[in-house]
Amino acid sequence: SNGAMSNNTNGGISLINRWNGKPYSQRYYDILDKRKNLPVWHQKEEFLQVLKKNQVIILVGETGSGKTTQVCSLFFSFSLVCLLYIPQFVLEAVDLESPDKRRKMMIGCTQPRRVAAMSVSRRVAEEMDVTIGEEVGYSIRFEDCSSARTVLKYLTDGMLLREAMTDPLLERYKVVILDEAHERTLSTDVLFGLLKEVLKNRPDLKLVVMSATLEAEKFQGYFGEAPLMKVPGRLHPVEIFYTQEPERDYLEAAIRTVVQIHLCEPLGDILVFLTGEEEIEDACRKITKEVGNLGDQVGPVKVVPLYSTLPPAMQQKIFDPAPPPLQEGGPSGRKIVVSTNIAETSLTIDGIVYVIDPGFSKQKVYNPRVRVESLLVSPISKASAHQRSGRAGRTQPGKCFRLYTEKSFNQDLQPQTYPEILRSNLANTVLTLKKLGIDDLVHFDFMDPPAPETLMRALEVLNYLGALDDEGNLTKLGEIMSEFPLDPQLSKMLVVSPEFNCSNEILSISAMLSGHHQQLSCMGPMPPDGMYHRILIPNCFVRPREAHKAADEAKARFGHIDGDHLTLLNVYHAYKQNNEDPSWCYENFVNHRALKAADNVRQQLVRIMARFNLKLCSTDFNSRDYYINIRKAILAGYFMQVAHLEHSGHYLTVKDNQVVHLHPSNCLDHKPEWVVYNEYVLTSRNYIRTVVDIRGEWLVDIAPHYYDLQNFPQCEAKRVLEKLYRKREREREENRNRK
Ligand code: ADP
Ligand code: MG
């Protein structure tokens, strides 16, 4: 090993990057100086010592202390390689260039959010002076930016779970880091249980659990009293302000507060927490406009949005410096970041002095009674509010403006985040666990076990879909379904689509339905009834405020009178026919990014289809059956999400008997007797969104096991179905008689 060392070091300073053999750039040394100031930097040695003696470590530290960037990149230092590879170290060290060796010595660091995985890996690649996708990479759903050279990989927790499906002992990793553990996302919670098992079979594997807030004792207890390391925080004091009265419109209040700060407060950047893409873009436009109206008495502002579907190059802008004064000696500029929860703990933006916290985030809520999972804008928790205010005190004392009353903070906000596993539909998770070979779900070591009803519901759904047999074992169909990174209904629809001779079209529809899947914000409590504010729609249609009419007309041109799924298909086809032209998108009020994303998703789904020899086929477009087959295939996946039009003129969901309304965004020109819906939106009114017209006969033909009238609540739908069954029975009899 001495030989290798002396080649690469000179007076204790490394000049050659050991991992790619290139000399370090000046930028490397510049960033190195910054890194040396991070609290985690000073505890590297201690960390290595603890890691050497233990299989699991819990690491807790304030956001911005360098956990995500510095702990992971430790692997790039010689010492961690030594630690993990003694005694075979000599051999390995010489062989760092061999991809084969690298493959089994990876370090994987999970992030609950895609944006964080991308952004942090880019930063670390820069810090390590390597090209992103080579030594340092990332992997998120539908996008893999890593290679055989990759030794440090940031990936979403969902992706690590997917990897475990083919690599149950996670053998490619030497260290797994579960970052942002305090977020308690569904996938991280499942990974806890899974890794606990894997560690028993892999004595050489190390696990690091990293968390921002202090749920740490809970993690410690769960992992058999693993040592806890605390990185001392270096937060400056943050003064908290509340509103005197509740705000009617938090968006308007947030914008007003930004302008006030810019007018009256000393220099320092502003961070505003909002809930999603549309709201954030809207706020950015308004802030820019209102500050513009103030004239040149005030300094210039640079307003930057941050949300999960923003393209990576735009995400980077949050790290740009504030703009300089317009003219020399003039008032200085300010950066204003308008972000989702991503900026709460996942990404640290230096220089923030003012935080505006309206008290809301978009959260997943599951209602097992009606089996509906929705994303709702809901009040955050006290812990979350505390994290948000902390963002103002990273570099100097700061101020946090909470756009709610102190009374509301004390009385209405829940103390802690409710783990996502307790507010999710678990069908997908159960399918994954089954695929991982975990059959006994009741005894699986969940940190917070989900309600038995929720597990039962999930098993039942998978059984109806044919993914599990009556004994709860994975079927052949279930095996294939589990390979698709999609909800079980969606993957079922895809897998059976060749039987309806329309897999090409179903692929396009599936991609359109999941292409701009919104990243979930998972902090915060269950919202009390009636607290839902704005519901945001991920949408491939653009509807700018100043051009409502033109946008609606454009959308109507794509509209298919039989349903929104078919409209989405029309949009996709038109996009392809127009050569994916961005200006065509612009002229037709179609979101180019959403379409591009969908197209990318489609290509990946095609690859999975090919792996299982699922045929790509289409019904002749001129055939009367073209759209009928597509609608039938949709039903084959979504037969549990059907609503029936009652004589009263209302829709009732089948079996659950909930009154629902067609979402105003629908494209139908009539009220069909039966519809399949993709989404159930809970507000003061219950809407079903993305609906398609289907026929009652198809229910009887395609899903008789679900539409089994023996255990069916009394309702109009049941009486109609009884007639349909009798009709089918008569037809069968006539057929027999004819023969
Ligand atoms: P933690 O995981 O403890 O919250 P991080 O490791 O994410 O902290 O960040 C440590 C520091 O690295 C931050 O305070 C920030 O200054 C810096 N940093 C992280 N990402 C970037 C980036 N993309 N550009 C500039 N600085 C960054
Ligand atoms: Mg972090």
PDB file of all heavy atoms in Angstrom, residues 447-467:
ATOM      1  N   MET A 447     -41.006  -0.013  11.660  1.00  0.00           N
ATOM      2  CA  MET A 447     -40.754   0.903  12.780  1.00  0.00           C
ATOM      3  C   MET A 447     -42.081   1.372  13.369  1.00  0.00           C
ATOM      4  O   MET A 447     -42.246   1.430  14.585  1.00  0.00           O
ATOM      5  CB  MET A 447     -39.931   2.094  12.296  1.00  0.00           C
ATOM      6  CG  MET A 447     -39.338   2.908  13.405  1.00  0.00           C
ATOM      7  SD  MET A 447     -38.236   4.191  12.795  1.00  0.00           S
ATOM      8  CE  MET A 447     -36.832   3.270  12.229  1.00  0.00           C
ATOM      9  N   ASP A 448     -43.025   1.711  12.498  1.00  0.00           N
ATOM     10  CA  ASP A 448     -44.398   1.991  12.914  1.00  0.00           C
ATOM     11  C   ASP A 448     -45.311   1.117  12.069  1.00  0.00           C
ATOM     12  O   ASP A 448     -45.526   1.412  10.898  1.00  0.00           O
ATOM     13  CB  ASP A 448     -44.759   3.468  12.680  1.00  0.00           C
ATOM     14  CG  ASP A 448     -44.174   4.358  13.751  1.00  0.00           C
ATOM     15  OD1 ASP A 448     -44.632   4.281  14.899  1.00  0.00           O
ATOM     16  OD2 ASP A 448     -43.245   5.119  13.426  1.00  0.00           O
ATOM     17  N   PRO A 449     -45.821   0.022  12.630  1.00  0.00           N
ATOM     18  CA  PRO A 449     -46.628  -0.890  11.808  1.00  0.00           C
ATOM     19  C   PRO A 449     -47.894  -0.210  11.307  1.00  0.00           C
ATOM     20  O   PRO A 449     -48.561   0.478  12.068  1.00  0.00           O
ATOM     21  CB  PRO A 449     -46.979  -2.026  12.772  1.00  0.00           C
ATOM     22  CG  PRO A 449     -46.110  -1.837  13.964  1.00  0.00           C
ATOM     23  CD  PRO A 449     -45.721  -0.394  14.023  1.00  0.00           C
ATOM     24  N   PRO A 450     -48.209  -0.387  10.024  1.00  0.00           N
ATOM     25  CA  PRO A 450     -49.459   0.167   9.491  1.00  0.00           C
ATOM     26  C   PRO A 450     -50.653  -0.556  10.083  1.00  0.00           C
ATOM     27  O   PRO A 450     -50.516  -1.664  10.605  1.00  0.00           O
ATOM     28  CB  PRO A 450     -49.347  -0.087   7.989  1.00  0.00           C
ATOM     29  CG  PRO A 450     -48.307  -1.140   7.831  1.00  0.00           C
ATOM     30  CD  PRO A 450     -47.416  -1.081   9.015  1.00  0.00           C
ATOM     31  N   ALA A 451     -51.799   0.074   9.994  1.00  0.00           N
ATOM     32  CA  ALA A 451     -53.011  -0.552  10.519  1.00  0.00           C
ATOM     33  C   ALA A 451     -53.269  -1.859   9.785  1.00  0.00           C
ATOM     34  O   ALA A 451     -53.109  -1.928   8.573  1.00  0.00           O
ATOM     35  CB  ALA A 451     -54.183   0.400  10.328  1.00  0.00           C
ATOM     36  N   PRO A 452     -53.686  -2.913  10.515  1.00  0.00           N
ATOM     37  CA  PRO A 452     -53.969  -4.188   9.857  1.00  0.00           C
ATOM     38  C   PRO A 452     -54.984  -4.048   8.719  1.00  0.00           C
ATOM     39  O   PRO A 452     -54.843  -4.682   7.679  1.00  0.00           O
ATOM     40  CB  PRO A 452     -54.539  -5.052  10.984  1.00  0.00           C
ATOM     41  CG  PRO A 452     -54.033  -4.440  12.236  1.00  0.00           C
ATOM     42  CD  PRO A 452     -53.843  -2.983  11.969  1.00  0.00           C
ATOM     43  N   GLU A 453     -55.995  -3.167   8.897  1.00  0.00           N
ATOM     44  CA  GLU A 453     -56.986  -2.978   7.824  1.00  0.00           C
ATOM     45  C   GLU A 453     -56.318  -2.511   6.545  1.00  0.00           C
ATOM     46  O   GLU A 453     -56.687  -2.925   5.450  1.00  0.00           O
ATOM     47  CB  GLU A 453     -58.037  -1.919   8.190  1.00  0.00           C
ATOM     48  CG  GLU A 453     -58.860  -2.192   9.402  1.00  0.00           C
ATOM     49  CD  GLU A 453     -58.208  -1.572  10.624  1.00  0.00           C
ATOM     50  OE1 GLU A 453     -57.322  -2.235  11.213  1.00  0.00           O
ATOM     51  OE2 GLU A 453     -58.556  -0.439  10.982  1.00  0.00           O
ATOM     52  N   THR A 454     -55.339  -1.606   6.692  1.00  0.00           N
ATOM     53  CA  THR A 454     -54.683  -1.078   5.498  1.00  0.00           C
ATOM     54  C   THR A 454     -53.913  -2.182   4.783  1.00  0.00           C
ATOM     55  O   THR A 454     -53.948  -2.287   3.563  1.00  0.00           O
ATOM     56  CB  THR A 454     -53.726   0.070   5.888  1.00  0.00           C
ATOM     57  OG1 THR A 454     -54.401   0.956   6.765  1.00  0.00           O
ATOM     58  CG2 THR A 454     -53.267   0.822   4.661  1.00  0.00           C
ATOM     59  N   LEU A 455     -53.252  -3.035   5.559  1.00  0.00           N
ATOM     60  CA  LEU A 455     -52.550  -4.169   4.954  1.00  0.00           C
ATOM     61  C   LEU A 455     -53.530  -5.126   4.291  1.00  0.00           C
ATOM     62  O   LEU A 455     -53.311  -5.594   3.177  1.00  0.00           O
ATOM     63  CB  LEU A 455     -51.749  -4.916   6.020  1.00  0.00           C
ATOM     64  CG  LEU A 455     -50.354  -4.369   6.333  1.00  0.00           C
ATOM     65  CD1 LEU A 455     -49.715  -5.169   7.454  1.00  0.00           C
ATOM     66  CD2 LEU A 455     -49.471  -4.378   5.095  1.00  0.00           C
ATOM     67  N   MET A 456     -54.639  -5.386   4.986  1.00  0.00           N
ATOM     68  CA  MET A 456     -55.655  -6.290   4.436  1.00  0.00           C
ATOM     69  C   MET A 456     -56.201  -5.734   3.129  1.00  0.00           C
ATOM     70  O   MET A 456     -56.372  -6.454   2.151  1.00  0.00           O
ATOM     71  CB  MET A 456     -56.811  -6.482   5.424  1.00  0.00           C
ATOM     72  CG  MET A 456     -56.493  -7.323   6.642  1.00  0.00           C
ATOM     73  SD  MET A 456     -55.642  -8.842   6.249  1.00  0.00           S
ATOM     74  CE  MET A 456     -56.958  -9.715   5.393  1.00  0.00           C
ATOM     75  N   ARG A 457     -56.482  -4.449   3.135  1.00  0.00           N
ATOM     76  CA  ARG A 457     -56.978  -3.779   1.935  1.00  0.00           C
ATOM     77  C   ARG A 457     -56.015  -3.985   0.768  1.00  0.00           C
ATOM     78  O   ARG A 457     -56.412  -4.281  -0.349  1.00  0.00           O
ATOM     79  CB  ARG A 457     -57.114  -2.270   2.183  1.00  0.00           C
ATOM     80  CG  ARG A 457     -58.423  -1.870   2.806  1.00  0.00           C
ATOM     81  CD  ARG A 457     -59.528  -2.045   1.817  1.00  0.00           C
ATOM     82  NE  ARG A 457     -60.718  -1.295   2.201  1.00  0.00           N
ATOM     83  CZ  ARG A 457     -61.888  -1.400   1.581  1.00  0.00           C
ATOM     84  NH1 ARG A 457     -62.013  -2.228   0.566  1.00  0.00           N
ATOM     85  NH2 ARG A 457     -62.908  -0.697   1.970  1.00  0.00           N
ATOM     86  N   ALA A 458     -54.733  -3.807   1.060  1.00  0.00           N
ATOM     87  CA  ALA A 458     -53.719  -3.927   0.016  1.00  0.00           C
ATOM     88  C   ALA A 458     -53.687  -5.348  -0.539  1.00  0.00           C
ATOM     89  O   ALA A 458     -53.660  -5.558  -1.747  1.00  0.00           O
ATOM     90  CB  ALA A 458     -52.356  -3.536   0.573  1.00  0.00           C
ATOM     91  N   LEU A 459     -53.738  -6.325   0.359  1.00  0.00           N
ATOM     92  CA  LEU A 459     -53.730  -7.722  -0.082  1.00  0.00           C
ATOM     93  C   LEU A 459     -54.954  -8.025  -0.941  1.00  0.00           C
ATOM     94  O   LEU A 459     -54.867  -8.700  -1.958  1.00  0.00           O
ATOM     95  CB  LEU A 459     -53.693  -8.651   1.143  1.00  0.00           C
ATOM     96  CG  LEU A 459     -52.379  -8.647   1.919  1.00  0.00           C
ATOM     97  CD1 LEU A 459     -52.552  -9.321   3.283  1.00  0.00           C
ATOM     98  CD2 LEU A 459     -51.285  -9.355   1.122  1.00  0.00           C
ATOM     99  N   GLU A 460     -56.077  -7.461  -0.505  1.00  0.00           N
ATOM    100  CA  GLU A 460     -57.332  -7.689  -1.218  1.00  0.00           C
ATOM    101  C   GLU A 460     -57.262  -7.111  -2.637  1.00  0.00           C
ATOM    102  O   GLU A 460     -57.620  -7.773  -3.620  1.00  0.00           O
ATOM    103  CB  GLU A 460     -58.454  -7.030  -0.416  1.00  0.00           C
ATOM    104  CG  GLU A 460     -59.835  -7.316  -0.893  1.00  0.00           C
ATOM    105  CD  GLU A 460     -60.852  -6.445  -0.147  1.00  0.00           C
ATOM    106  OE1 GLU A 460     -60.693  -5.206  -0.115  1.00  0.00           O
ATOM    107  OE2 GLU A 460     -61.804  -7.000   0.408  1.00  0.00           O
ATOM    108  N   VAL A 461     -56.774  -5.878  -2.735  1.00  0.00           N
ATOM    109  CA  VAL A 461     -56.657  -5.228  -4.050  1.00  0.00           C
ATOM    110  C   VAL A 461     -55.764  -6.056  -4.967  1.00  0.00           C
ATOM    111  O   VAL A 461     -56.098  -6.314  -6.130  1.00  0.00           O
ATOM    112  CB  VAL A 461     -56.091  -3.794  -3.885  1.00  0.00           C
ATOM    113  CG1 VAL A 461     -55.593  -3.250  -5.214  1.00  0.00           C
ATOM    114  CG2 VAL A 461     -57.144  -2.871  -3.294  1.00  0.00           C
ATOM    115  N   LEU A 462     -54.631  -6.516  -4.440  1.00  0.00           N
ATOM    116  CA  LEU A 462     -53.693  -7.278  -5.263  1.00  0.00           C
ATOM    117  C   LEU A 462     -54.288  -8.620  -5.672  1.00  0.00           C
ATOM    118  O   LEU A 462     -54.025  -9.139  -6.750  1.00  0.00           O
ATOM    119  CB  LEU A 462     -52.375  -7.482  -4.513  1.00  0.00           C
ATOM    120  CG  LEU A 462     -51.569  -6.196  -4.312  1.00  0.00           C
ATOM    121  CD1 LEU A 462     -50.407  -6.424  -3.349  1.00  0.00           C
ATOM    122  CD2 LEU A 462     -51.051  -5.656  -5.645  1.00  0.00           C
ATOM    123  N   ASN A 463     -55.112  -9.167  -4.797  1.00  0.00           N
ATOM    124  CA  ASN A 463     -55.790 -10.418  -5.133  1.00  0.00           C
ATOM    125  C   ASN A 463     -56.811 -10.191  -6.249  1.00  0.00           C
ATOM    126  O   ASN A 463     -56.872 -10.939  -7.212  1.00  0.00           O
ATOM    127  CB  ASN A 463     -56.450 -10.974  -3.863  1.00  0.00           C
ATOM    128  CG  ASN A 463     -57.207 -12.261  -4.128  1.00  0.00           C
ATOM    129  OD1 ASN A 463     -58.415 -12.324  -3.945  1.00  0.00           O
ATOM    130  ND2 ASN A 463     -56.484 -13.295  -4.577  1.00  0.00           N
ATOM    131  N   TYR A 464     -57.596  -9.122  -6.140  1.00  0.00           N
ATOM    132  CA  TYR A 464     -58.549  -8.797  -7.206  1.00  0.00           C
ATOM    133  C   TYR A 464     -57.831  -8.575  -8.533  1.00  0.00           C
ATOM    134  O   TYR A 464     -58.327  -8.929  -9.591  1.00  0.00           O
ATOM    135  CB  TYR A 464     -59.349  -7.546  -6.846  1.00  0.00           C
ATOM    136  CG  TYR A 464     -60.543  -7.805  -5.951  1.00  0.00           C
ATOM    137  CD1 TYR A 464     -60.744  -7.046  -4.802  1.00  0.00           C
ATOM    138  CD2 TYR A 464     -61.480  -8.787  -6.276  1.00  0.00           C
ATOM    139  CE1 TYR A 464     -61.840  -7.263  -3.980  1.00  0.00           C
ATOM    140  CE2 TYR A 464     -62.582  -9.009  -5.454  1.00  0.00           C
ATOM    141  CZ  TYR A 464     -62.757  -8.250  -4.311  1.00  0.00           C
ATOM    142  OH  TYR A 464     -63.847  -8.472  -3.514  1.00  0.00           O
ATOM    143  N   LEU A 465     -56.650  -7.949  -8.471  1.00  0.00           N
ATOM    144  CA  LEU A 465     -55.916  -7.668  -9.711  1.00  0.00           C
ATOM    145  C   LEU A 465     -55.257  -8.922 -10.268  1.00  0.00           C
ATOM    146  O   LEU A 465     -54.738  -8.919 -11.372  1.00  0.00           O
ATOM    147  CB  LEU A 465     -54.843  -6.601  -9.466  1.00  0.00           C
ATOM    148  CG  LEU A 465     -55.347  -5.166  -9.264  1.00  0.00           C
ATOM    149  CD1 LEU A 465     -54.203  -4.261  -8.836  1.00  0.00           C
ATOM    150  CD2 LEU A 465     -56.005  -4.633 -10.528  1.00  0.00           C
ATOM    151  N   GLY A 466     -55.225  -9.971  -9.464  1.00  0.00           N
ATOM    152  CA  GLY A 466     -54.616 -11.214  -9.923  1.00  0.00           C
ATOM    153  C   GLY A 466     -53.117 -11.257  -9.689  1.00  0.00           C
ATOM    154  O   GLY A 466     -52.427 -12.143 -10.194  1.00  0.00           O
ATOM    155  N   ALA A 467     -52.600 -10.322  -8.904  1.00  0.00           N
ATOM    156  CA  ALA A 467     -51.168 -10.316  -8.620  1.00  0.00           C
ATOM    157  C   ALA A 467     -50.822 -11.300  -7.503  1.00  0.00           C
ATOM    158  O   ALA A 467     -49.703 -11.808  -7.431  1.00  0.00           O
ATOM    159  CB  ALA A 467     -50.710  -8.909  -8.237  1.00  0.00           C
TER     160      ALA A 467
END
